[in-house]
Amino acid sequence: MLKTIIRRLKSEKRGVSNVLVVMLSLILITVIVANVVLWSYQMNQLDIERMRESVKITEASRLTRSAWSTAQNEFTVIKGRITGGSYAYTTAIDGFYETFMEETETIQRYSYPSSYNLIGGTSLISGSLPDLQTNNGVHMVLGSYAVGSEDFVDQRSNVDNSQDIGTHSNFDYMKTGPDSLYDVLTEQKIVNEAASSKTNALIAYRSNTGTNMLSSPKNRIWTGDMASWSGEVEMPTAGSPVRWVRTEYCPVRSRGYEVIVVTLSDDGYLDAYVWNGVSWIVTNNIAYTGTTANAYRCFDMAYEHATGRALLVYSRGTTTNEIGYRIWDGNSWSPEAVLDLPYTSGIVYWIALASCPGTRPGTADDNEIAMIYIDSNVNVHGYIWNGSAWDGMGQTTVWDATAAIASEECIAVAYEQLSGRAMFIWGDATARYNYYRIWDGSALTAATPLVITNQGSITNWVVLKADPNSNGLLFGVLDNALDLNTAYWNGSAWTIHSEHDAAVDTHASRCFDFAWNPVGSTGLLVWGTTSNSISWKTFTPPNTWSAASTAPAAGTHRWIQLRTNPRYVSGDKYILGADLNSNFDIGSITWDGTTFTITEGAITTDTVSLTYECFEIAFMNFGPITINYQLDLEVQWVNVDYDGENKYLCVYTGALDSENLRVDAWTGSSWVTVASALLPNQWNNISVSNYLTSNTFTIRFVDETKTGDIVQSSWQIDCALLYMEKNYVQVEFTGTQVTQDWMQIVWTVDCSSTVGSVNITLQLYDYNANGYPTSGDGYITAMIGTEDVTLNQTITVNPSRFRDANGNWKMKIIGKRATLFNLKIDLIELKIASVIHRLQISNNFTIALSEYPPNYVYGLEIMVRYNVSEASERWFIKAYDWSSGTFSDAGFNSTGGSQPAANEWNNYTVSINMNWTRYINSNGTIQIMFCDEGTSGTQTFICIDFIGVRVILNGVRLDVKNSGATTAHIVSLWIINATHHIRYDVNFFVNPGESATYIRADIAPPEGAFIVKIVTERGSIDTF
């Protein structure tokens, strides 16, 4: 049909135009139809896609904090250093950390008084504590008060270069009081030796004379210069007739007058008598030997060479704990001690002691004493006393179980005087046999026989005498056949002599003796052999004897005793002796090296008995000694403030002995008596204004009787002080500073007075000494006037002693003057140097301001997770204040720092809610510092696991999941509750199959529960 129409149009003239119109209409119709079809298709496709979109809210919550911002670069170390790790290890709490170490730093701290205490009558005139913090001419002014000052004695002294005489019982008691605590001043015993005079001696003996007859021992004194015996002196009673007597003088010069007499009586008791230079100290019944052993001299006594202690050893008359002993120490006897004898079994009958001369090398032998004994079973044994205990010299068996005789003294011991070796010797049951052993300080030789062939029988009596000038020993032996023999020991071998006598007076007692001369190594042998005469010989080692000489002497001679003078003065007797004859007379024997003299009955004519050696002579070891008790004790005041008025020496006394006690004052060149006799139990106030003219004042206490005083006096002094009137300012200031180790203190006081010449004392309290120093560190003294003067002192030695454990310090200021004054104080300062260890690190952290606009931020939160090696100080977070240009913690919720636990992780968090914008600059940068307190004296290592900052918000957070096949475009957000229904524009895309978080800091959700609704661009809606 179209073709037909076209042919018809072509046939007509207007056909072309018509064709064109038709064609254009057809084209227009086609386009319209196509668009309608396309629109219909698109609308159908949109409905399909909408049906396929799936967007869900998986979580909706109130947003209070942003994500953490962590370090992006290495930390800046302000103080300290990095020791390990990296800043990257601080971005997460994961156990990886960066480590730092503190560095050493010396700092100066200043401390000023925080309080004060006015002492006494001191008054505050003007000013206050703040005036003491700067040296600016503004003063704290204190007024003085008048008071009588007391200055107790300070120390003992020796201004006259003469040694003090006498003793203080406790000088410190004189420094305080009165309090009934007394310093007892006691006279000193002054021992004077007449060194050029001849030697005195004493003989103690039994005599049926005097008040107590035989029961009291008697004594006579040999005066060397007079060469005669004194009259008889009866000693206190022993309570029973005396049998045996031992006498010994002290070898120590300070007690050279001391002599001990010990007696053994019929009742079996020992009695001890000690002459102390003034009187006899008697100890009756000091020991009991029993009434069997007392038939023999079953005791002996010897002095320790160095200490001067006397050892008394005795049989206890028993078969266990057989020996007892006691020690005299110059003042008293010790309690009884016992020595059990494991190697002998009988009652001890004879004991012999010898004192070591102390000549071996070293000091071990200074107080050594050798002992030998024999018991009732003729067992012989020996010991060494070492000054504190008995030593068996390594022996574990009896020395001899078959000695010669138990009823007679067949034992002896003596020391070689140069070598210090001890020889023990005894007679054996085999005729002519004697045995000896030698102790050299470390070992005891085996028992060695000494066979004297001239002996006619077993040994009965022996003596062993030491030459004072060599190692020679003379052994004398009397046997059962009345033979008298001797042998000489030269230190290494024996020389046996020809027999002296084959028929002496008796063998029932020791009728012979030998003594060495004090010079020349020669000696004298004396014995009884013929009635009415006595024989004697002289000896020169090793084997030279003079012919026997005789001297008239009544009766037969039962006991002979000779003693060597221990010192020699020209013209003095070499030897003194005594004999007891058959007429019961004790006679006197003297020998001067050439002349032998015996005077029968010179000592006594009535011993009643011949059985016992009831006498003994002892020489003094020194020249004649006199005793005088004296007192001369100086005491002194130092640093006396002597410019007061009405100056008095005040001495408070207790009981005073009858001898007057005088007080002298030292003038600088001589003594002046200020009190001739102190009165007892009261204050003795003595004016000393004329003598107290310097800051040192010395007095002495002096006894009244200077010579011939044989009674020891004592006086009780409670206290001694100087009293004077003065004006004082006294104030104590206190302050505090950190307790960190103080390396140095420079303490300063700037002050002046309203008048001139004020004595000022500054004292810093010493907590170690629990008091204010009086010299050295912590003590300043000066004279000040009306112009300010700065006084200071630097303390470097243990300055921490001038504070307590809490850092508190105290300072006392004392001003003194004779007249009233005001003290003006401008500055009191302690500048304290300390060594500390510091760590300060910082770093920049960035907040995304585009994501968290400042207008919707409520603050900042900073957290550090750290671990420290020690926990003595706190740690701090600070932030850089961009307005002030400094690190600060102003506005932080906590400025007290973090107190960590050592060696474990600590979380430290602070928040900034006020003025937080000062800590963040325009590009979101926050600069954070982490630092120590700066108080530790110990270097700390620190590990940082995490450090970060985040903003505090009040917004909304949505977690959205797109489960659809196309991207979801969320365009609106609704926050809904009962009173809140608000729409917010949103432009947020979520890719298909993904989840995303959407945060809006500018949306503040309502309080309580609320509903969140989202709407997509395609109209999808989800609610949470």
Side-chain angles (χ1 to χ4, degrees):
M1 183 181 72
L2 182 59
K3 289 180 178 180
T4 302
I5 292 172
I6 293 171
R7 280 195 301 269
R8 287 181 65 184
L9 290 172
K10 287 180 176 180
S11 66
E12 298 181 0
K13 284 187 168 187
R14 298 178 297 178
V16 174
S17 298
N18 291 333
V19 168
L20 289 171
V21 170
V22 169
M23 291 298 293
L24 288 172
S25 297
L26 289 172
I27 291 169
L28 179 61
I29 291 168
T30 300
V31 170
I32 292 170
V33 169
N35 282 333
V36 169
V37 171
L38 177 63
W39 176 82
S40 176
Y41 173 80
Q42 286 176 338
M43 291 301 293
N44 290 333
Q45 187 68 29
L46 182 63
D47 288 340
I48 294 170
E49 289 177 356
R50 182 185 303 164
M51 291 174 62
R52 294 179 60 192
E53 189 176 60
S54 177
V55 179
K56 297 291 183 182
I57 303 173
T58 60
E59 182 65 46
S61 61
R62 191 184 309 275
L63 179 65
T64 61
R65 299 291 189 274
S66 71
W68 289 107
S69 173
T70 57
Q72 301 303 307
N73 296 287
E74 189 54 78
F75 286 87
T76 298
V77 179
I78 304 168
K79 294 181 180 181
R81 63 189 178 93
I82 299 172
T83 59
S86 163
Y87 76 92
Y89 293 167
T90 70
T91 59
I93 299 175
D94 55 7
F96 293 96
Y97 50 83
E98 188 170 10
T99 58
F100 302 84
M101 181 177 70
E102 291 179 316
E103 69 178 20
T104 300
E105 178 180 311
T106 301
I107 62 169
Q108 302 284 350
R109 293 187 174 97
Y110 294 85
S111 185
Y112 302 95
S114 57
S115 64
Y116 66 94
N117 177 40
L118 300 177
I119 301 172
T122 302
S123 60
L124 176 64
I125 304 299
S126 63
S128 61
L129 289 173
D131 297 330
L132 306 179
Q133 296 184 8
T134 54
N135 191 357
N136 59 359
V138 178
H139 299 86
M140 185 177 187
V141 182
L142 305 175
S144 66
Y145 66 100
V147 67
S149 65
E150 296 179 352
D151 188 352
F152 284 92
V153 67
D154 294 308
Q155 62 189 28
R156 288 178 276 189
S157 68
N158 185 22
V159 297
D160 60 4
N161 295 318
S162 297
Q163 186 174 0
D164 273 357
I165 303 172
T167 60
H168 295 268
S169 65
N170 190 327
F171 176 66
D172 287 342
Y173 285 168
M174 197 185 295
K175 297 179 180 180
T176 59
D179 52 12
S180 297
L181 296 176
Y182 298 104
D183 180 16
V184 180
L185 311 183
T186 302
E187 288 182 308
Q188 179 179 330
K189 184 185 293 184
I190 305 299
V191 177
N192 293 310
E193 178 188 3
S196 61
S197 294
K198 298 170 184 174
T199 312
N200 293 346
L202 177 140
I203 185 170
Y205 55 95
R206 162 185 165 126
S207 178
N208 193 31
T209 54
T211 302
N212 297 306
M213 310 298 281
L214 295 174
S215 295
S216 285
K218 315 301 187 299
N219 74 68
R220 293 178 185 267
I221 301 297
W222 171 265
T223 303
D225 286 338
M226 301 294 293
S228 63
W229 290 102
S230 70
E232 181 176 275
V233 175
E234 183 173 13
M235 300 167 68
T237 182
S240 179
V242 171
R243 290 187 175 185
W244 302 91
V245 178
R246 276 288 284 116
T247 304
E248 195 78 29
Y249 267 98
C250 180
V252 176
R253 184 182 180 280
S254 62
R255 297 196 343 258
Y257 52 82
E258 180 181 283
V259 61
I260 298 178
V261 174
V262 178
T263 63
L264 177 57
S265 300
D266 287 353
D267 60 4
Y269 280 99
L270 292 168
D271 296 275
Y273 304 80
V274 181
W275 178 255
N276 65 5
V278 178
S279 61
W280 289 102
I281 299 172
V282 182
T283 306
N284 290 121
N285 299 338
I286 192 171
Y288 183 65
T289 68
T291 55
T292 298
N294 72 339
Y296 317 100
R297 206 206 70 243
C298 58
F299 71 97
D300 202 1
M301 172 180 58
Y303 272 96
E304 293 175 345
H305 170 77
T307 66
R309 298 193 310 169
L311 182 66
L312 173 62
V313 183
Y314 49 88
S315 170
R316 300 178 72 244
T318 59
T319 56
T320 57
N321 293 327
E322 297 95 327
I323 285 179
Y325 62 95
R326 300 179 73 165
I327 297 172
W328 170 259
D329 63 4
N331 294 296
S332 62
W333 289 99
S334 70
E336 180 184 62
V338 297
L339 177 62
D340 189 51
L341 307 177
Y343 312 121
T344 58
S345 57
I347 296 173
V348 173
Y349 277 3
W350 298 91
I351 294 175
L353 302 179
S355 298
C356 181
T359 52
R360 295 202 299 262
T363 60
D365 65 329
D366 284 0
N367 297 307
E368 183 178 286
I369 295 173
M371 176 179 72
I372 188 171
Y373 68 88
I374 186 170
D375 69 8
S376 58
N377 294 328
V378 291
N379 295 326
V380 172
H381 202 70
Y383 284 89
I384 287 293
W385 170 258
N386 63 18
S388 60
W390 293 102
D391 181 353
M393 298 172 284
Q395 303 306 300
T396 58
T397 59
V398 67
W399 289 4
D400 192 337
T402 56
I405 188 169
S407 59
E408 296 178 352
E409 190 176 15
C410 65
I411 59 172
V413 60
Y415 277 89
E416 296 173 345
Q417 294 299 290
L418 301 185
S419 71
R421 298 192 307 169
M423 177 181 285
F424 304 85
I425 195 164
W426 65 94
D428 187 66
T430 301
R432 297 184 299 279
Y433 269 73
N434 304 280
Y435 283 88
Y436 66 95
R437 307 185 79 165
I438 295 175
W439 163 255
D440 65 3
S442 59
L444 182 68
T445 64
T448 305
L450 171 61
V451 181
I452 300 179
T453 56
N454 289 328
Q455 281 188 231
S457 182
I458 63 170
T459 297
N460 280 186
W461 300 90
V462 300
V463 296
L464 185 65
K465 299 297 184 75
D467 178 6
N469 302 301
S470 73
N471 287 327
L473 299 172
L474 192 287
F475 175 62
V477 55
L478 172 60
D479 63 33
N480 194 49
L482 301 177
D483 298 306
L484 175 60
N485 285 276
T486 59
Y488 172 71
W489 171 262
N490 67 2
S492 60
W494 289 102
T495 299
I496 300 174
H497 305 139
S498 299
E499 187 169 86
H500 297 287
D501 198 318
V504 296
D505 280 348
T506 181
H507 66 74
S509 55
R510 195 194 65 250
C511 65
F512 79 98
D513 203 359
F514 176 86
W516 292 92
N517 294 322
V519 292
S521 293
T522 57
L524 177 71
L525 176 67
V526 179
W527 72 96
T529 183
T530 304
S531 181
N532 297 318
S533 70
I534 196 166
S535 299
W536 56 275
K537 285 182 179 182
T538 62
F539 171 62
T540 301
N543 197 26
T544 302
W545 287 94
S546 68
S549 299
T550 61
T556 58
H557 300 86
R558 304 302 180 88
W559 294 94
I560 303 290
Q561 186 181 107
L562 300 178
R563 295 293 182 260
T564 298
N565 190 338
R567 56 193 292 274
Y568 178 70
V569 175
S570 179
D572 203 356
K573 301 298 183 185
Y574 285 10
I575 296 170
L576 287 180
D579 75 307
L580 174 57
N581 65 21
S582 55
N583 298 327
F584 308 111
D585 300 334
I586 298 178
S588 170
I589 297 173
T590 65
W591 169 255
D592 63 7
T594 57
T595 303
F596 178 86
T597 303
I598 182 169
T599 306
E600 292 289 20
I603 305 302
T604 184
T605 59
D606 196 4
T607 63
V608 178
S609 174
L610 304 176
T611 306
Y612 316 108
E613 189 177 17
C614 58
F615 60 94
E616 184 168 22
I617 297 171
F619 272 104
M620 291 183 68
N621 293 293
F622 308 94
I625 287 177
T626 57
I627 294 174
N628 186 48
Y629 287 100
Q630 294 182 12
L631 184 82
D632 187 335
L633 294 175
E634 293 183 22
V635 297
Q636 189 175 71
W637 286 256
V638 294
N639 298 319
V640 179
D641 189 6
Y642 62 91
D643 61 350
E645 299 179 349
N646 301 320
K647 307 170 190 177
Y648 287 91
L649 168 65
C650 304
V651 180
Y652 196 88
T653 57
L656 305 178
D657 272 355
S658 59
E659 183 179 358
N660 287 336
L661 182 62
R662 193 179 80 225
V663 179
D664 295 344
W666 180 251
T667 66
S669 59
S670 62
W671 293 105
V672 174
T673 299
V674 294
S676 57
L678 295 180
L679 299 176
N681 301 305
Q682 62 183 281
W683 281 109
N684 292 260
N685 300 319
I686 307 158
S687 176
V688 292
S689 296
N690 293 334
Y691 309 109
L692 182 51
T693 57
S694 72
N695 60 5
T696 300
F697 183 67
T698 308
I699 65 169
R700 68 175 179 178
F701 296 98
V702 187
D703 60 338
E704 180 183 40
T705 305
K706 305 307 294 181
T707 59
D709 185 359
I710 62 171
V711 177
Q712 190 174 38
S713 297
S714 60
W715 301 269
Q716 293 179 338
I717 306 298
D718 193 318
C719 62
L721 59 88
L722 293 173
Y723 175 88
M724 65 193 78
E725 294 179 355
K726 292 191 67 67
N727 289 273
Y728 288 85
V729 166
Q730 297 188 78
V731 60
E732 184 177 63
F733 292 96
T734 57
T736 188
Q737 186 51 268
V738 297
T739 59
Q740 191 166 2
D741 289 343
W742 292 13
M743 293 178 55
Q744 175 181 288
I745 302 173
V746 180
W747 61 296
T748 302
V749 175
D750 186 87
C751 58
S752 60
S753 173
T754 52
V755 297
S757 300
V758 172
N759 188 300
I760 191 82
T761 299
L762 313 176
Q763 295 169 290
L764 202 57
Y765 192 84
D766 186 334
Y767 287 87
N768 284 2
N770 293 319
Y772 282 102
T774 57
S775 63
D777 287 347
Y779 182 83
I780 300 173
T781 184
M783 189 71 70
I784 63 172
T786 56
E787 297 294 327
D788 275 3
V789 60
T790 300
L791 306 172
N792 57 43
Q793 183 186 64
T794 300
I795 301 173
T796 58
V797 178
N798 191 21
S800 295
R801 61 192 156 123
F802 294 100
R803 62 159 173 83
D804 67 11
N806 298 316
N808 299 310
W809 56 265
K810 297 193 293 188
M811 182 190 300
K812 184 185 287 186
I813 299 179
I814 302 174
K816 304 177 188 177
R817 196 177 189 279
T819 59
L820 292 170
F821 67 97
N822 291 340
L823 179 64
K824 301 164 62 180
I825 306 174
D826 194 1
L827 173 70
I828 296 178
E829 176 184 89
L830 268 68
K831 183 169 70 173
I832 301 156
S834 299
V835 169
I836 60 172
H837 296 87
R838 297 305 312 269
L839 179 69
Q840 293 179 354
I841 59 173
S842 70
N843 213 331
N844 291 335
F845 301 79
T846 302
I847 300 297
L849 297 181
S850 60
E851 186 174 351
Y852 306 107
N855 289 340
Y856 301 104
V857 173
Y858 290 83
L860 302 173
E861 185 174 82
I862 306 169
M863 175 182 171
V864 180
R865 178 176 171 81
Y866 67 104
N867 189 317
V868 291
S869 60
E870 60 88 29
S872 64
E873 62 182 339
R874 304 178 76 84
W875 291 80
F876 294 85
I877 296 172
K878 295 186 179 182
Y880 189 77
D881 185 335
W882 297 94
S883 61
S884 66
T886 60
F887 284 98
S888 174
D889 57 7
F892 285 26
N893 70 320
S894 171
T895 59
S898 167
Q899 179 60 62
N903 301 309
E904 61 182 69
W905 289 108
N906 301 270
N907 293 331
Y908 176 29
T909 303
V910 297
S911 60
I912 314 168
N913 300 104
M914 297 178 58
N915 300 318
W916 61 270
T917 56
R918 70 173 70 177
Y919 297 113
I920 185 167
N921 70 2
S922 59
N923 62 8
T925 299
I926 299 173
Q927 196 173 115
I928 296 173
M929 178 197 288
F930 185 58
C931 61
D932 58 10
E933 187 177 6
T935 60
S936 175
T938 303
Q939 193 170 46
T940 304
F941 293 84
I942 181 167
C943 307
I944 298 180
D945 184 30
F946 176 80
I947 182 169
V949 60
R950 60 187 179 183
V951 296
I952 301 171
L953 305 167
N954 187 19
V956 173
R957 172 188 169 123
L958 299 180
D959 292 328
V960 178
K961 183 175 178 62
N962 181 2
S963 302
T966 63
T967 298
H969 180 199
I970 301 170
V971 296
S972 65
L973 169 69
W974 293 81
I975 303 297
I976 304 167
N977 71 359
T979 61
H980 190 96
H981 195 273
I982 300 177
R983 179 186 180 278
Y984 299 93
D985 289 333
V986 175
N987 184 24
F988 177 44
F989 293 88
V990 183
N991 292 326
E994 293 183 358
S995 297
T997 298
Y998 181 64
I999 294 173
R1000 284 291 295 269
D1002 60 328
I1003 298 176
E1007 296 295 330
F1010 58 90
I1011 296 172
V1012 177
K1013 181 172 72 174
I1014 58 173
V1015 180
T1016 68
E1017 183 180 23
R1018 293 188 177 98
S1020 295
I1021 299 173
D1022 191 49
T1023 302
F1024 187 91

